[in-house]
Amino acid sequence: MSGSGTSSGPGGGGPVRVVVVDDQPLVRAGFVMVLDAQADIDVVGEADDGAEALALLDTVTADVVVMDVRMPVMDGVEATRRLGERPDPPKVLVLTTFDTDEDAFAALRAGASGFLLKNVPPQDFLSAIRVVATGDSVVAPRVTRRLLDRFAGQLTPEPTRRDARLAVLTERERDVLELVARGMSNSEIAAHLYVAETTVKTHLGRILAKLELRDRVQAVVLAYETGLVRAAD
């Protein structure tokens, strides 16, 4: 494990720099062991809780933070929220379990790029790290929809804000955002709108840029928050 964080990240062609945050030493050690075995991943630090992670990230540069949710001192949701307030923050991949949908949902709203179950196979864990590092999310569209449907009551639309936030989008971009929020993949959206999949990707990129969103997951959350899509739809 390198603690300097001097290697360049994905944009510079170097290894993906990762910080692992978990209050269980054995669990954390297991993740670090798996990550350190990869030539294209560099673990640049470890932390026991969210507060320690924030302090660590003042001294090292990371591309991805693997973040546990339930930790003492500061939990993963609050740490994720605070990281999102920093300029050019690292991507956050939250760890959760089958029975903690509430935690995963809160983490997504706080700015996480996705979440995994703690018992995920190593190859899926590694793939998720690499995907998140490129700026994409690792939450399957329908999983995101299931979470948002379950907790839609926490997303109270504000009509006065809705028009203002979505006014920057073209009609076609609003259509794409709505279909993303309904759980469709890019290929399904392309078939639905009778356009090429590359066109859908272009529209989605513009949506993220105009609304200053980090990834697809955040776009879905915003669609619910603004009332563009409702759980009953």
Side-chain angles (χ1 to χ4, degrees), residues 20 26-38 43 46 125-126:
V20 179
L26 287 178
V27 173
R28 191 171 69 245
F31 287 129
V32 170
M33 181 177 66
V34 171
L35 294 171
D36 268 342
Q38 309 304 307
V43 178
E46 304 175 40
F125 174 57
L126 294 170

PDB file of all heavy atoms in Angstrom, residues 20 26-38 43 46 125-126:
ATOM      1  N   VAL A  20      -9.879   3.133   1.786  1.00  0.00           N
ATOM      2  CA  VAL A  20     -10.847   2.188   2.335  1.00  0.00           C
ATOM      3  C   VAL A  20     -11.246   2.634   3.739  1.00  0.00           C
ATOM      4  O   VAL A  20     -10.380   2.827   4.601  1.00  0.00           O
ATOM      5  CB  VAL A  20     -10.270   0.756   2.381  1.00  0.00           C
ATOM      6  CG1 VAL A  20     -11.289  -0.213   2.980  1.00  0.00           C
ATOM      7  CG2 VAL A  20      -9.858   0.304   0.986  1.00  0.00           C
ATOM      8  N   LEU A  26     -10.680  -6.345  10.400  1.00  0.00           N
ATOM      9  CA  LEU A  26     -10.547  -7.535   9.560  1.00  0.00           C
ATOM     10  C   LEU A  26     -11.238  -7.354   8.215  1.00  0.00           C
ATOM     11  O   LEU A  26     -10.717  -7.780   7.174  1.00  0.00           O
ATOM     12  CB  LEU A  26     -11.111  -8.756  10.281  1.00  0.00           C
ATOM     13  CG  LEU A  26     -10.274  -9.290  11.445  1.00  0.00           C
ATOM     14  CD1 LEU A  26     -10.978 -10.477  12.114  1.00  0.00           C
ATOM     15  CD2 LEU A  26      -8.892  -9.720  10.950  1.00  0.00           C
ATOM     16  N   VAL A  27     -12.398  -6.730   8.228  1.00  0.00           N
ATOM     17  CA  VAL A  27     -13.107  -6.458   6.980  1.00  0.00           C
ATOM     18  C   VAL A  27     -12.288  -5.514   6.113  1.00  0.00           C
ATOM     19  O   VAL A  27     -12.103  -5.728   4.913  1.00  0.00           O
ATOM     20  CB  VAL A  27     -14.497  -5.858   7.263  1.00  0.00           C
ATOM     21  CG1 VAL A  27     -15.171  -5.401   5.960  1.00  0.00           C
ATOM     22  CG2 VAL A  27     -15.379  -6.872   7.978  1.00  0.00           C
ATOM     23  N   ARG A  28     -11.792  -4.453   6.732  1.00  0.00           N
ATOM     24  CA  ARG A  28     -10.982  -3.477   6.000  1.00  0.00           C
ATOM     25  C   ARG A  28      -9.734  -4.125   5.424  1.00  0.00           C
ATOM     26  O   ARG A  28      -9.369  -3.893   4.259  1.00  0.00           O
ATOM     27  CB  ARG A  28     -10.602  -2.322   6.939  1.00  0.00           C
ATOM     28  CG  ARG A  28      -9.995  -1.134   6.213  1.00  0.00           C
ATOM     29  CD  ARG A  28      -9.852   0.061   7.140  1.00  0.00           C
ATOM     30  NE  ARG A  28      -8.849  -0.138   8.173  1.00  0.00           N
ATOM     31  CZ  ARG A  28      -9.088  -0.209   9.468  1.00  0.00           C
ATOM     32  NH1 ARG A  28     -10.338  -0.113   9.912  1.00  0.00           N
ATOM     33  NH2 ARG A  28      -8.116  -0.384  10.347  1.00  0.00           N
ATOM     34  N   ALA A  29      -9.083  -4.972   6.212  1.00  0.00           N
ATOM     35  CA  ALA A  29      -7.876  -5.651   5.753  1.00  0.00           C
ATOM     36  C   ALA A  29      -8.175  -6.550   4.559  1.00  0.00           C
ATOM     37  O   ALA A  29      -7.356  -6.677   3.635  1.00  0.00           O
ATOM     38  CB  ALA A  29      -7.266  -6.469   6.888  1.00  0.00           C
ATOM     39  N   GLY A  30      -9.353  -7.175   4.570  1.00  0.00           N
ATOM     40  CA  GLY A  30      -9.729  -8.030   3.453  1.00  0.00           C
ATOM     41  C   GLY A  30      -9.875  -7.240   2.166  1.00  0.00           C
ATOM     42  O   GLY A  30      -9.395  -7.658   1.100  1.00  0.00           O
ATOM     43  N   PHE A  31     -10.543  -6.084   2.249  1.00  0.00           N
ATOM     44  CA  PHE A  31     -10.691  -5.240   1.067  1.00  0.00           C
ATOM     45  C   PHE A  31      -9.333  -4.760   0.564  1.00  0.00           C
ATOM     46  O   PHE A  31      -9.072  -4.769  -0.640  1.00  0.00           O
ATOM     47  CB  PHE A  31     -11.581  -4.035   1.384  1.00  0.00           C
ATOM     48  CG  PHE A  31     -13.040  -4.372   1.519  1.00  0.00           C
ATOM     49  CD1 PHE A  31     -13.760  -3.961   2.627  1.00  0.00           C
ATOM     50  CD2 PHE A  31     -13.693  -5.096   0.545  1.00  0.00           C
ATOM     51  CE1 PHE A  31     -15.108  -4.270   2.753  1.00  0.00           C
ATOM     52  CE2 PHE A  31     -15.043  -5.409   0.659  1.00  0.00           C
ATOM     53  CZ  PHE A  31     -15.751  -4.998   1.773  1.00  0.00           C
ATOM     54  N   VAL A  32      -8.490  -4.340   1.485  1.00  0.00           N
ATOM     55  CA  VAL A  32      -7.171  -3.845   1.100  1.00  0.00           C
ATOM     56  C   VAL A  32      -6.361  -4.941   0.424  1.00  0.00           C
ATOM     57  O   VAL A  32      -5.672  -4.710  -0.579  1.00  0.00           O
ATOM     58  CB  VAL A  32      -6.428  -3.293   2.335  1.00  0.00           C
ATOM     59  CG1 VAL A  32      -4.966  -2.996   1.984  1.00  0.00           C
ATOM     60  CG2 VAL A  32      -7.113  -2.033   2.853  1.00  0.00           C
ATOM     61  N   MET A  33      -6.433  -6.156   0.941  1.00  0.00           N
ATOM     62  CA  MET A  33      -5.689  -7.268   0.357  1.00  0.00           C
ATOM     63  C   MET A  33      -6.126  -7.523  -1.085  1.00  0.00           C
ATOM     64  O   MET A  33      -5.301  -7.713  -1.981  1.00  0.00           O
ATOM     65  CB  MET A  33      -5.889  -8.527   1.191  1.00  0.00           C
ATOM     66  CG  MET A  33      -5.134  -9.740   0.664  1.00  0.00           C
ATOM     67  SD  MET A  33      -5.342 -11.181   1.738  1.00  0.00           S
ATOM     68  CE  MET A  33      -7.116 -11.487   1.532  1.00  0.00           C
ATOM     69  N   VAL A  34      -7.439  -7.513  -1.301  1.00  0.00           N
ATOM     70  CA  VAL A  34      -7.959  -7.732  -2.652  1.00  0.00           C
ATOM     71  C   VAL A  34      -7.509  -6.610  -3.591  1.00  0.00           C
ATOM     72  O   VAL A  34      -7.080  -6.854  -4.726  1.00  0.00           O
ATOM     73  CB  VAL A  34      -9.501  -7.824  -2.633  1.00  0.00           C
ATOM     74  CG1 VAL A  34     -10.064  -7.824  -4.048  1.00  0.00           C
ATOM     75  CG2 VAL A  34      -9.935  -9.089  -1.900  1.00  0.00           C
ATOM     76  N   LEU A  35      -7.603  -5.371  -3.112  1.00  0.00           N
ATOM     77  CA  LEU A  35      -7.245  -4.230  -3.949  1.00  0.00           C
ATOM     78  C   LEU A  35      -5.757  -4.166  -4.241  1.00  0.00           C
ATOM     79  O   LEU A  35      -5.342  -3.879  -5.368  1.00  0.00           O
ATOM     80  CB  LEU A  35      -7.701  -2.936  -3.260  1.00  0.00           C
ATOM     81  CG  LEU A  35      -9.213  -2.747  -3.123  1.00  0.00           C
ATOM     82  CD1 LEU A  35      -9.519  -1.553  -2.232  1.00  0.00           C
ATOM     83  CD2 LEU A  35      -9.867  -2.576  -4.485  1.00  0.00           C
ATOM     84  N   ASP A  36      -4.936  -4.440  -3.242  1.00  0.00           N
ATOM     85  CA  ASP A  36      -3.483  -4.348  -3.412  1.00  0.00           C
ATOM     86  C   ASP A  36      -2.932  -5.383  -4.385  1.00  0.00           C
ATOM     87  O   ASP A  36      -1.817  -5.236  -4.887  1.00  0.00           O
ATOM     88  CB  ASP A  36      -2.782  -4.496  -2.057  1.00  0.00           C
ATOM     89  CG  ASP A  36      -2.554  -3.146  -1.384  1.00  0.00           C
ATOM     90  OD1 ASP A  36      -2.621  -2.116  -2.081  1.00  0.00           O
ATOM     91  OD2 ASP A  36      -2.300  -3.125  -0.168  1.00  0.00           O
ATOM     92  N   ALA A  37      -3.701  -6.404  -4.649  1.00  0.00           N
ATOM     93  CA  ALA A  37      -3.248  -7.445  -5.575  1.00  0.00           C
ATOM     94  C   ALA A  37      -3.426  -7.031  -7.036  1.00  0.00           C
ATOM     95  O   ALA A  37      -2.984  -7.746  -7.941  1.00  0.00           O
ATOM     96  CB  ALA A  37      -4.001  -8.751  -5.313  1.00  0.00           C
ATOM     97  N   GLN A  38      -4.054  -5.873  -7.251  1.00  0.00           N
ATOM     98  CA  GLN A  38      -4.318  -5.412  -8.612  1.00  0.00           C
ATOM     99  C   GLN A  38      -3.284  -4.390  -9.067  1.00  0.00           C
ATOM    100  O   GLN A  38      -2.989  -3.438  -8.353  1.00  0.00           O
ATOM    101  CB  GLN A  38      -5.718  -4.780  -8.694  1.00  0.00           C
ATOM    102  CG  GLN A  38      -6.825  -5.645  -8.124  1.00  0.00           C
ATOM    103  CD  GLN A  38      -6.887  -7.012  -8.755  1.00  0.00           C
ATOM    104  OE1 GLN A  38      -6.949  -7.125  -9.982  1.00  0.00           O
ATOM    105  NE2 GLN A  38      -6.861  -8.063  -7.932  1.00  0.00           N
ATOM    106  N   VAL A  43      -4.000   1.366  -3.148  1.00  0.00           N
ATOM    107  CA  VAL A  43      -4.633   1.777  -1.894  1.00  0.00           C
ATOM    108  C   VAL A  43      -3.732   2.825  -1.244  1.00  0.00           C
ATOM    109  O   VAL A  43      -2.611   2.516  -0.828  1.00  0.00           O
ATOM    110  CB  VAL A  43      -4.845   0.583  -0.945  1.00  0.00           C
ATOM    111  CG1 VAL A  43      -5.463   1.063   0.369  1.00  0.00           C
ATOM    112  CG2 VAL A  43      -5.751  -0.468  -1.592  1.00  0.00           C
ATOM    113  N   GLU A  46      -6.200   4.142   4.685  1.00  0.00           N
ATOM    114  CA  GLU A  46      -7.293   3.458   5.369  1.00  0.00           C
ATOM    115  C   GLU A  46      -7.771   4.335   6.520  1.00  0.00           C
ATOM    116  O   GLU A  46      -6.993   5.112   7.078  1.00  0.00           O
ATOM    117  CB  GLU A  46      -6.835   2.118   5.942  1.00  0.00           C
ATOM    118  CG  GLU A  46      -6.225   1.153   4.953  1.00  0.00           C
ATOM    119  CD  GLU A  46      -5.687  -0.095   5.649  1.00  0.00           C
ATOM    120  OE1 GLU A  46      -6.348  -0.595   6.596  1.00  0.00           O
ATOM    121  OE2 GLU A  46      -4.597  -0.563   5.274  1.00  0.00           O
ATOM    122  N   PHE A 125     -16.485  -6.530  -6.981  1.00  0.00           N
ATOM    123  CA  PHE A 125     -15.971  -5.418  -6.182  1.00  0.00           C
ATOM    124  C   PHE A 125     -14.920  -4.645  -6.979  1.00  0.00           C
ATOM    125  O   PHE A 125     -14.966  -3.410  -7.064  1.00  0.00           O
ATOM    126  CB  PHE A 125     -15.379  -5.967  -4.891  1.00  0.00           C
ATOM    127  CG  PHE A 125     -14.691  -4.954  -4.029  1.00  0.00           C
ATOM    128  CD1 PHE A 125     -15.344  -3.827  -3.568  1.00  0.00           C
ATOM    129  CD2 PHE A 125     -13.356  -5.132  -3.673  1.00  0.00           C
ATOM    130  CE1 PHE A 125     -14.699  -2.894  -2.771  1.00  0.00           C
ATOM    131  CE2 PHE A 125     -12.705  -4.214  -2.868  1.00  0.00           C
ATOM    132  CZ  PHE A 125     -13.375  -3.089  -2.420  1.00  0.00           C
ATOM    133  N   LEU A 126     -14.002  -5.363  -7.596  1.00  0.00           N
ATOM    134  CA  LEU A 126     -12.944  -4.727  -8.379  1.00  0.00           C
ATOM    135  C   LEU A 126     -13.516  -4.015  -9.600  1.00  0.00           C
ATOM    136  O   LEU A 126     -13.099  -2.901  -9.933  1.00  0.00           O
ATOM    137  CB  LEU A 126     -11.914  -5.772  -8.815  1.00  0.00           C
ATOM    138  CG  LEU A 126     -11.112  -6.406  -7.675  1.00  0.00           C
ATOM    139  CD1 LEU A 126     -10.311  -7.599  -8.188  1.00  0.00           C
ATOM    140  CD2 LEU A 126     -10.181  -5.377  -7.038  1.00  0.00           C
TER     141      LEU A 126
END
